[in-house]
Amino acid sequence: MSTTSNQLENLANASEWMLLALEQAERALSTGEAPIGCVLLRADGSLLSAGFNTMVATGNLVAHAEINAFASAAGRTAEGEALIMVSSLEPCVMCTGAAMQAGVVTIVYALKAPADSGTSRVKPPESPDSTLPKVIGNVKADASRKLFTDWIERHAGDDSRKAQRRFIDQLLTLTATVPIAPRVAVTDLPYATRLANP
C-alpha cells in the first residue's frame, strides 16, 4: 500500500496531537493516578476536550481518560461531527466502543496495551451513527512508557496502590521491547483502515 500525502500529514499531525495527550497523562501522574491522558479533537485538529484518569480520586472504575474526555465534550459537538481521539495508552474495549459510538473517525495512541487492547478486540457496531475509526499506534510510545516507569518510582512501597501497581507492572512487562526512538506504526485492528508507514 502506498502512502499518500494526506496519510503522511495525518502521521505528522498525530505526533503533535500526542503531545497534548501526554500533557494530560502528566497531570494524572502528578495526582497519583495511572498516567493516562486523552484529548478529543475536531476534524480540523482543534482541541475539543481533554481528560485524564481519575479512577482513584473518584472511586469510579470507568473514569478512564477517554471517558472523561467524552464527558467533557458532551453537548459541544454537532450531530454527525467527525472526531479524532488521541490517547497516551491504547484504549480499552470500553473506550474504543465509546469512540465508535461518539463518531470518532481516527484513534491515535502512544503505547500499546497488550493485555487490554481494545482497538484489536472491538468489532464496530452496525448502527448507522457509529463509525469505523482508522487507528494509528505507537506514536511517542517511549514517552508514554516512561510516565509509567516514573509512576512506579514515585509509588515504591505504597501499599495503597496495589491494584494500580499490578496493572502498571503488567503493562511494563508486556511492553518491555518498545523502541527507544519514536516511530509510527499501524495497529493490527482487522476492522480499521490501515495507514502505511512512511
Side-chain angles (χ1 to χ4, degrees), residues 30 32-33 43 48 53-54 58-59 84 93 100-102 119-120 139 142 158 166-167 176 189 194:
S30 72
E33 298 282 349
L48 173 62
N53 266 26
T54 57
T58 63
I84 301 163
V93 169
M100 291 175 177
Q101 282 299 124
T119 62
S120 64
V139 178
D142 55 333
D158 183 351
R166 282 192 306 271
F167 167 76
L189 175 60
R194 297 169 194 250

Side-chain angles (χ1 to χ4, degrees), residues 145-164:
R145 192 172 191 285
K146 180 166 181 350
L147 293 174
F148 287 100
T149 60
D150 290 349
W151 187 95
I152 291 290
E153 290 172 9
R154 289 183 188 190
H155 297 285
D158 183 351
D159 287 342
S160 70
R161 305 294 179 149
K162 285 182 183 178
Q164 280 182 302

